[in-house]
Amino acid sequence: SGLLLTMGETGGGKSFWLAKLFKEFMLEHKKKTGGIYTLEMSGEEYAKRSVSMYPDLAKCKDRLYISGHVRSIDEVVAEVSTKRLDIVGIDFVDWIASEISEAAYSYVYKRCVELGRILGITVVLLAQPNREGVKYKKFLTKFDARWTGMAENSAWQFIALQIANSLDIDDDKYPTFDEDHYYMINLKQRGGWP
């Protein structure tokens, strides 16, 4: 249980990654329920897009709630508390923060941690890097999250998703290739490394 913070650039596949995570989780755990909250599009459109990408997700539709109507983290917390979901995904932090400020983002991160801890569930929160994080030819780091301090401190696990090739990246940290590759970088694992 806790906050799984996943950061990636616009168009980097965060929503599809979230749909795949939910598909795998719900197919593995036949009695578990899940909920995805988005303001990016309607819940129906989000479900249709996710199922078109991962058809097996349709097998879980009776246990998966997808909502596009919430407007704040407090609304998400209230709804999840009454539905008693086993895993929650929020796509993404910018849409549910009350404003673009450190205090507003800190509040969202804190509420997600509380939700996970109190209900004993995983809360997956999608985020984008700050502009500095994508400006330089490097792989994303935990310092590239918007309002980094609270993001880094709050996350039980912190993952960066990045599509890159050797022309995009001038960084010796990971191997790069001439064609695009999809990188999933585990930046933090509070439970310890396996």
Side-chain angles (χ1 to χ4, degrees):
S1 64
L3 176 60
L4 186 140
L5 183 60
T6 305
M7 170 180 62
E9 296 178 53
T10 300
K14 294 184 301 294
S15 297
F16 289 127
W17 179 89
L18 182 66
K20 182 169 174 63
L21 175 73
F22 269 70
K23 175 191 74 100
E24 297 295 335
F25 177 87
M26 298 192 74
L27 289 176
E28 178 70 23
H29 303 282
K30 306 286 188 211
K31 295 184 179 180
K32 302 274 186 180
T33 59
I36 297 176
Y37 293 86
T38 179
L39 289 178
E40 190 175 24
M41 59 188 75
S42 73
E44 295 80 20
E45 186 180 352
Y46 196 94
K48 184 178 177 182
R49 187 179 79 158
S50 298
V51 168
S52 72
M53 187 72 161
Y54 303 110
D56 282 349
L57 195 58
K59 296 176 185 176
C60 312
K61 67 181 178 184
D62 59 323
R63 297 180 290 122
L64 178 60
Y65 173 74
I66 300 177
S67 171
H69 73 272
V70 296
R71 295 288 177 254
S72 71
I73 187 60
D74 292 325
E75 287 182 29
V76 172
V77 170
E79 196 166 286
V80 170
S81 298
T82 60
K83 290 189 175 298
R84 303 300 284 166
L85 301 169
D86 296 299
I87 186 171
V88 172
I90 302 170
D91 188 357
F92 68 104
V93 65
D94 286 10
W95 292 114
I96 60 168
S98 60
E99 60 185 47
I100 306 297
S101 72
E102 184 172 4
Y105 277 64
S106 293
Y107 184 74
V108 170
Y109 295 134
K110 182 179 177 186
R111 293 292 281 160
C112 287
V113 170
E114 290 170 351
L115 182 64
R117 188 182 71 239
I118 291 168
L119 297 181
I121 63 173
T122 299
V123 177
V124 184
L125 179 63
L126 303 184
Q128 289 187 316
N130 58 41
R131 296 231 181 251
E132 296 301 308
V134 296
K135 203 156 68 169
Y136 304 104
K137 296 176 74 156
K138 67 179 186 67
F139 283 101
L140 294 171
T141 71
K142 59 187 176 182
F143 305 109
D144 294 320
R146 291 184 186 167
W147 312 112
T148 301
M150 191 54 131
E152 183 188 356
N153 291 338
S154 301
W156 182 264
Q157 185 172 11
F158 193 174
I159 294 172
L161 303 176
Q162 192 163 11
I163 298 173
N165 61 49
S166 56
L167 296 174
D168 297 332
I169 300 294
D170 185 20
D171 190 333
D172 295 332
K173 195 169 185 180
Y174 305 101
T176 55
F177 305 87
D178 289 341
E179 67 278 356
D180 282 348
H181 272 63
Y182 193 77
Y183 296 85
M184 187 169 93
I185 306 164
N186 198 354
L187 300 172
K188 177 185 176 185
Q189 176 74 38
R190 187 170 291 189
W193 298 104

